[in-house]
C-alpha cells in the first residue's frame, strides 16, 4: 500500500523536481569484470546509492491523508470559501512533504535536498531494506571509468632493464629464468602466449598505439603477462616469489651502478652507507632521490612523493635525519624506521590492479624492490660481495604497497586509483 501511495505522491513533486534515469556501465577490470581489489583508498564510502526513476502521473484527489493516518480525501466542487482554499493549500503542502518522504524511502532524490548526511543515508537504507530489500552487491552499479590519457612513451637506459621487446634480456626474465631453471626462450614463448590471449580484453580498457614495450599500455600488458607466467612457474611458494621480486630490485640497482646510470656522487654516498663505520640512512637519500628521478625521467611514472605528505619537514631530502641514523646504529636498541613513498600513474598499474583483483598479491612491481635494495645496503652490501649473499646485511627491509584513489566517491564500487603507496619498515637485525 505504501508503495502505491508513494507512486501517486510522486506526481505532486514531479512538476517541481524533474527526474532523469541514470545509466551506468560496468567499468571494472576488463579481464575480470566482477573482481574488486582488496586495497582501497583512504576513504571507505558506505553510503547507499541514489537513483532516480520516472513514475506514472496520478490524480492528487485520490490521495489519503490526516494528522494520524491516511484517510480518504474527496475533491469538493464549487468550494470557494476562504477556509476551504486555505485547507487546499495546507493539503497540497502536506502532500508535497509526504511525497518527499516517500521519495527518500524509494531512493528518489530531490534537488533541493540532494546533500544527505549519515543519518539520512542510514534511515534510507533501513527503510528500503524493510519495504523493498537491499541487494547484497549494492543497489547501484559501478560508474563509468574516467577516460585515460594517451599512453606515455617510455625511454632511456632504464627501460631495457625493466622489459625488452624480445623478452630475453630484461631483468625480470633473467631472474625468473634463474629461480625456475627455465631457459629465457621458453619463458618468452609462454609470456607471449599469455599476452596474446588477454590482449583483446586488455586493450579495451588500456588502448595502446604501438605494440612495443616503450608504449605505456603495452608495457602494462606485458608486465601482467610476465607476472602471470611467474605465478605459474612459482606456484604457492611465497618465499621464492618474494625472492624473485627482491632480486629484480637488486639487479636494477646493481646495473644502474655498474653502467653509471646514476651519478658518481650517489654511488659514493651509497658505498658509504654500506660501510660498517658509516651505516646511515641519511647517506642513502641522494641515491633514493636519483633512482626515483630515473623512473620518472623514463616515463615509468608521472610523479612521486618521498615522505609523509602531512609532514613538510620530513619529505624529500629531509626524509631521514640523525635520529633515524642513531636508531639503526645501536645494536642494543633494535629500533626501526618507517618511510612512505608514493608513485603516481606507474606504467604497470593496470596489470597490478588486475592481478590483485584476481585475488593474488604477486603483482608487477619495480620501484618497491629497488628502493628496498638501496636500504638493504645500510651496514652491509647486498650485491653478494664480501662473502655475503645478496640482501644479507645488518638491516631488514619490509614493505607493503597499496592502491589509492585520491577522489572521494559516494559509490563504494567506484575505485579509480592513480597512486601506488609504499610503506617501508627498516629495522636492524
Amino acid at each position: 500500500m505504501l508503495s502505491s501511495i508513494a507512486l501517486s505522491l510522486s506526481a505532486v513533486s514531479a512538476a517541481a523536481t524533474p527526474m532523469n534515469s541514470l545509466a551506468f556501465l560496468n567499468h571494472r577490470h576488463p579481464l575480470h569484470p566482477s573482481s574488486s581489489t582488496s586495497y582501497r583508498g583512504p576513504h571507505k564510502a558506505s553510503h547507499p546509492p541514489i537513483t532516480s526513476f520516472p513514475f506514472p502521473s496520478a490524480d492528487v484527489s485520490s490521495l489519503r491523508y490526516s494528522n494520524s493516518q491516511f484517510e480518504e480525501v474527496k475533491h469538493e466542487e464549487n468550494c470557494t470559501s476562504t477556509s476551504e482554499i486555505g485547507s487546499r493549500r495546507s493539503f497540497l503542502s502536506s502532500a508535497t512533504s509526504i511525497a518527499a518522504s516517500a521519495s527518500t524511502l524509494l531512493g528518489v532524490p530531490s534537488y533541493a535536498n540532494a546533500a544527505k548526511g549519515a543519518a539520512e543515508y542510514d534511515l534510507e537504507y533501513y527503510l528500503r531494506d524493510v519495504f523493498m530489500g537491499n541487494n547484497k552487491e549494492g543497489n547501484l552499479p559501478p560508474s563509468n571509468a574516467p577516460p585515460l590519457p594517451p599512453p606515455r612513451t617510455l625511454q632511456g637506459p632504464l627501460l631495457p632493464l625493466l622489459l625488452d621487446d624480445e623478452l630475453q634480456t630484461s631483468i625480470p626474465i633473467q631472474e625468473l629464468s634463474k629461480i625456475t631453471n627455465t631457459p629465457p626462450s621458453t619463458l618468452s614463448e609462454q609470456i607471449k602466449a599469455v599476452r596474446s590471449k588477454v590482449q583483446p580484453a586488455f586493450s579495451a580498457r588500456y588502448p595502446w598505439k604501438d605494440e612495443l614495450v616503450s608504449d605505456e599500455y603495452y608495457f602494462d600488458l606485458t608486465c601482467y603477462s610476465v607476472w602471470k607466467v611467474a605465478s605459474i612457474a612459482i606456484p604457492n611458494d611465497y618465499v621464492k616469489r618474494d625472492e624473485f621480486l627482491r632480486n629484480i630490485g637488486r639487479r636494477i640497482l646493481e646495473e644502474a651502478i655498474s653502467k653509471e646510470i646514476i651519478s658518481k656522487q650517489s654511488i659514493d654516498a651509497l658505498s658509504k652507507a654500506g660501510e660498517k663505520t658509516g651505516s646511515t640512512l641519511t647517506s642513502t637519500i641522494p641515491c633514493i632521490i636519483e633512482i626515483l628521478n630515473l623512473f620518472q625521467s623514463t616515463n615509468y611514472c608521472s610523479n612521486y612523493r618521498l615522505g609523509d605528505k602531512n609532514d613538510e619537514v620530513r619529505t624529500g631530502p629531509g626524509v631521514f635525519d640523525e635520529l633515524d641514523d642513531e636508531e639503526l646504529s645501536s645494536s642494543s636498541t633494535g629500533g626501526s624506521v618507517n618511510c612512505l613513498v608514493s608513485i603516481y600513474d606507474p606504467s604497470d598499474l593496470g596489470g597490478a590492479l588486475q592481478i590483485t583483483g584476481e585475488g593474488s598479491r604477486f603483482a608487477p612491481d619495480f620501484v618497491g624492490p629497488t628502493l628496498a635494495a638501496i636500504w638493504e645496503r645500510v651496514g652491509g652490501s647486498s650485491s653478494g660481495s664480501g662473502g655475503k649473499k645478496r640482501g644479507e646485511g645488518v638491516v631488514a627491509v619490509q614493505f607493503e604497497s597499496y592502491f589509492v584513489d585520491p577522489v572521494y566517491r559516494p559509490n563504494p564500487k567506484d575505485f579509480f586509483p592513480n597512486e601506488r603507496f609504499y610503506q617501508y619498515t627498516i629495522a636492524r637485525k
Side-chain angles (χ1 to χ4, degrees), residues 55-83:
F55 291 123
S57 60
D59 188 0
V60 177
S61 63
S62 65
L63 299 177
R64 300 171 183 267
Y65 177 78
S66 71
N67 291 334
S68 58
Q69 61 181 359
F70 291 107
E71 299 176 348
E72 182 178 1
V73 178
K74 296 182 179 180
H75 182 68
E76 299 278 347
E77 296 183 356
N78 301 322
C79 296
T80 59
S81 66
T82 304
S83 61

Side-chain angles (χ1 to χ4, degrees), residues 15-192:
T17 307
M19 289 180 268
N20 300 318
S21 297
L22 302 179
F24 297 93
L25 298 176
N26 192 335
H27 74 281
R28 300 308 292 175
H29 311 308
L31 309 184
H32 194 68
S34 62
S35 69
S36 62
T37 179
S38 58
Y39 304 112
R40 298 281 303 176
H43 62 274
K44 294 285 186 179
S46 58
H47 295 166
I50 303 173
T51 311
S52 300
F53 301 94
F55 291 123
S57 60
D59 188 0
V60 177
S61 63
S62 65
L63 299 177
R64 300 171 183 267
Y65 177 78
S66 71
N67 291 334
S68 58
Q69 61 181 359
F70 291 107
E71 299 176 348
E72 182 178 1
V73 178
K74 296 182 179 180
H75 182 68
E76 299 278 347
E77 296 183 356
N78 301 322
C79 296
T80 59
S81 66
T82 304
S83 61
E84 290 174 341
I85 294 174
S87 298
R88 293 179 188 176
R89 290 175 178 172
S90 177
F91 165 75
L92 290 175
S93 176
S94 301
T96 303
S97 300
I98 299 173
S101 301
S103 298
T104 300
L105 170 63
L106 297 175
V108 182
S110 169
Y111 287 107
N113 300 291
K116 298 182 180 180
E120 288 86 352
Y121 277 116
D122 288 343
L123 177 62
E124 179 182 336
Y125 177 84
Y126 289 120
L127 289 178
R128 187 191 292 112
D129 193 52
V130 171
F131 293 102
M132 301 176 62
N134 289 299
N135 299 324
K136 292 182 179 180
E137 66 277 6
N139 300 304
L140 190 65
S143 306
N144 291 329
L148 292 174
R152 300 189 299 268
T153 300
L154 278 72
Q155 57 190 356
L158 181 63
L159 177 59
L161 302 180
L162 306 181
L163 280 180
D164 64 293
D165 289 310
E166 293 77 19
L167 299 174
Q168 296 276 347
T169 59
S170 57
I171 290 175
I173 308 301
Q174 294 293 322
E175 291 299 326
L176 184 58
S177 176
K178 289 179 182 178
I179 205 167
T180 61
N181 294 319
T182 305
S185 57
T186 303
L187 292 174
S188 177
E189 293 176 1
Q190 295 173 353
I191 294 168
K192 290 177 180 178

Side-chain angles (χ1 to χ4, degrees), residues 197-306:
K197 182 178 179 180
V198 301
Q199 182 170 336
F202 207 91
S203 63
R205 178 69 182 106
Y206 304 97
W208 51 82
K209 293 182 179 179
D210 302 310
E211 292 188 354
L212 301 171
V213 295
S214 58
D215 185 294
E216 176 191 0
Y217 298 146
Y218 199 75
F219 178 94
D220 200 353
L221 167 65
T222 306
C223 285
Y224 170 84
S225 305
V226 170
W227 260 260
K228 288 297 289 185
V229 170
S231 66
I232 297 172
I234 317 174
N236 301 324
D237 191 335
Y238 302 109
V239 175
K240 274 193 173 182
R241 287 183 175 184
D242 183 68
E243 182 183 355
F244 164 69
L245 187 65
R246 287 178 179 269
N247 284 344
I248 290 176
R250 292 162 185 157
R251 276 286 305 279
I252 291 175
L253 180 60
E254 292 166 9
E255 293 293 328
I257 293 174
S258 63
K259 296 182 179 181
E260 297 184 351
I261 298 177
I262 58 178
S263 66
K264 188 176 183 302
Q265 290 80 2
S266 295
I267 296 175
D268 293 341
L270 191 60
S271 299
K272 179 182 179 182
E275 298 173 359
K276 291 184 178 180
T277 57
S279 55
T280 63
L281 285 174
T282 52
S283 299
T284 66
I285 293 176
C287 187
I288 291 291
I289 293 177
E290 191 160 357
I291 285 292
L292 290 173
N293 286 336
L294 180 61
F295 274 99
Q296 185 179 8
S297 64
T298 306
N299 279 336
Y300 170 84
C301 60
S302 62
N303 204 352
Y304 69 87
R305 183 181 65 244
L306 175 61

